[in-house]
Amino acid sequence: MPRRVVTGEHVWVYWRCDGRDDVARVRNLSVGGMFIETKQPKRIGASTNLHFLVQEGAIRAEATVLHAKQGQGMGLRFTAVRDEDRTKLISLMARLRVV
């Protein structure tokens, strides 16, 4: 299982799923996925589009809802990340590990 990095209060993501747009705090992150906070998580298996802007630049990805906790959030597994965005994601994780 990929190693997760706790993101603190500083990483947010814009996400779209089933025609709904929202912004959520990223609780933890790995090269394979992340957990985001949302009061109304989507159904397991739902596809999401993710966009976040961090010091490393814009990162876009597609993901699937892997698990959901009502009132808390949902775990997402990345299904598509472009190579240049994956490089930025790895840089973001390295920066967060030293903070």
Side-chain angles (χ1 to χ4, degrees), residues 13-17 29-34 46-53 57-64 76-89:
V13 66
Y14 166 84
W15 60 280
R16 170 176 276 184
C17 183
L29 180 65
S30 78
V31 293
M34 63 185 178
S47 295
T48 62
N49 291 318
L50 306 165
H51 302 270
F52 44 117
L53 182 61
I59 301 172
R60 291 175 297 282
E62 294 177 17
T64 300
L76 303 172
R77 175 184 291 153
F78 295 136
T79 55
V81 182
R82 296 181 314 165
D83 287 341
E84 57 268 28
D85 290 335
R86 185 170 305 280
T87 300
K88 293 174 191 173
L89 179 64

Side-chain angles (χ1 to χ4, degrees), residues 32-99:
M34 63 185 178
F35 189 91
I36 64 172
E37 294 181 350
T38 180
K39 297 283 187 204
Q40 299 176 332
K42 295 298 183 174
R43 73 191 184 292
I44 293 171
S47 295
T48 62
N49 291 318
L50 306 165
H51 302 270
F52 44 117
L53 182 61
V54 289
Q55 283 178 219
E56 292 73 16
I59 301 172
R60 291 175 297 282
E62 294 177 17
T64 300
V65 178
L66 190 60
H67 59 90
K69 293 183 178 183
Q70 191 62 35
Q72 294 181 32
M74 58 189 177
L76 303 172
R77 175 184 291 153
F78 295 136
T79 55
V81 182
R82 296 181 314 165
D83 287 341
E84 57 268 28
D85 290 335
R86 185 170 305 280
T87 300
K88 293 174 191 173
L89 179 64
I90 292 167
S91 295
L92 169 62
M93 291 175 57
R95 177 171 59 85
L96 292 171
R97 276 193 185 103
V98 297
V99 172

